[in-house]
Amino acid sequence: MANLSRGVAENLHFLCAELDGQLSNLEAYFDDPDPDKAQKVVLRAGYSYNLWSRVQSAALRGLSAKNTTREMRVQLHNAALVARNLDLIARMARRSLEHAEKVNQKALLRPETYPRVIRRVRKRIKAILPAINTRDSDMAIKIGQTKSDLDALYDQLFDTYTHDMRKSKHTEDLANSLLAANEIHRMGEALQSTSEAILSASIGQSVHFERYFSLRNILSDTDGTTGDLELEPLAETRSGSTISGVRSKDATGMAFDAVFKDGELGKMREERAGVKRWDSIYPGLAPKILSYEKSGQSAALLIEYLHGQTFEQLLLGESDALLEQAQTVLAKTLRDIWKRTRTDEPAEMASMKQLRKRLPDVFRVHPGFETGASRIGDLDLDGFETLVGRAAERETDLSAPFSVHIHGDFNLDNVIFDAPEMKIHFIDLHRSRFMDYVQDVAVFMVSNYRLQAHDAQTRRRVAQVAANVHDMATKFARSQGDKTFEYRLALGLARSFATSTRFVFDKSHARRMFVRARFLLETAIACPPGKENRLKLPIKELFRG
């Protein structure tokens, strides 16, 4: 953030100075609790707010300018976050004083406990601007680590105050003392957020405080440091993981050297295990893991960068010829995987169980979909959840006759086609397992339809890709003697159409998907028991429009 605009830099400087003054008065109050000293903090409430507002306004002007580079945007965004957290600390100081002033028996407040830790907070605030200007990550870390000191103080005071409450008649004084301590405690969270903003500006992407240590450790394993490497955000998953491209700052060209992915520890462990399994089952399909680090409840992977385009990029932006070529290679790869990993262990996809689990999320996003039974003329219509229950009863007797190793989250953007090498690659493999191959087929087909591009050419391509995958999977099922493939696919598509609506804000598009889910459930239920092998789905009609 060394190259900030004058409006941002100057007001950020004044805000740090103003906050130091307010905290100095807060420290003086706890040294000698006096109402006049408290007023010195309370009366300056507008000063820090105005300075924060000026930083925000200057940052917004910079972000809206036409010539603002991506790096400048990152700097401005994080400078605004620093200012916001500084104003929060000022508010916490005032609220702490307000509670402290309500304590009549000042000895119960234990005011002598606070000056030392307030001095620590002031010291870290004075370090913010130097850390910003020099991109000093070590100093940024120290700023964030102040939270641990404040956590320790609060835990100590909490035990003391609650112990005193058991034997004292001054419960109200002790309650206000605890509230005053909590406001000081929360300053640690604001300092850690400030630290994250400084670190994020330094490396070029948003990073959580704990995850930064995984990033630093994992990149140091590549014979580099965060100082001579840069990150560029590539994606952010719905589960909270971040995915970034990593390259040397002096590298030429646009290609990345590796991909950095961090997230919740359990998910990263599953991702690592999934990649290793695929490497043993089908070498070259998954990217290689270059390094793995864990820190607390988060972890990070440094993964081989795979060249090529995702199927989503191909479908939306490339020629029919290249898309057709990619589909041919994908079909060959899937058939090869399924044959190579086939076991005689039956597989239960349990589509309706998955759908039931996710319906509350669907209804939260689209409450209008939650309808009960209805009647149109002489026709009685079951509610959607009733249809799911009836389909679940049919599904229990229809296991897949064999298992294969599946991707588990087979969306368009998790499949990469390397045209020069004529190879398919899989990414995001934390859900990989042995399962009914219909799971992957249904997810891939619906992820095509889910794309929110409604021009005629794109919708034609969507329908064609879905039909091609269906034809390939149908031929495979026939060759393997899988007679209930189409029926299980109906339930798998119903599940994917319905659950995918929770990611679609466009009400009309979501409604089209939900109507298709209902149609598939009704079709599956209407099929006479024992005749499941005769079910034929109108795939082209389902995926058109």
Side-chain angles (χ1 to χ4, degrees), residues 312 410-413 442-451 462 496 500 543:
E312 181 174 334
F410 205 48
N411 289 296
L412 291 178
D413 54 0
V443 169
F444 188 85
M445 291 174 70
V446 172
S447 72
N448 276 269
Y449 190 89
R450 190 173 75 199
L451 292 174
V462 163
S496 291
S500 293
F543 285 85

Side-chain angles (χ1 to χ4, degrees), residues 20 66 73 84 91 95 152 195 204 233 247 299 304 416 449 464 529 543:
D20 181 66
K66 292 183 179 180
R73 290 180 184 279
R84 176 57 176 157
R91 292 167 185 256
R95 286 196 293 265
S195 171
R247 66 158 70 89
E304 172 191 13
I416 294 175
Y449 190 89
Q464 189 59 54
F543 285 85

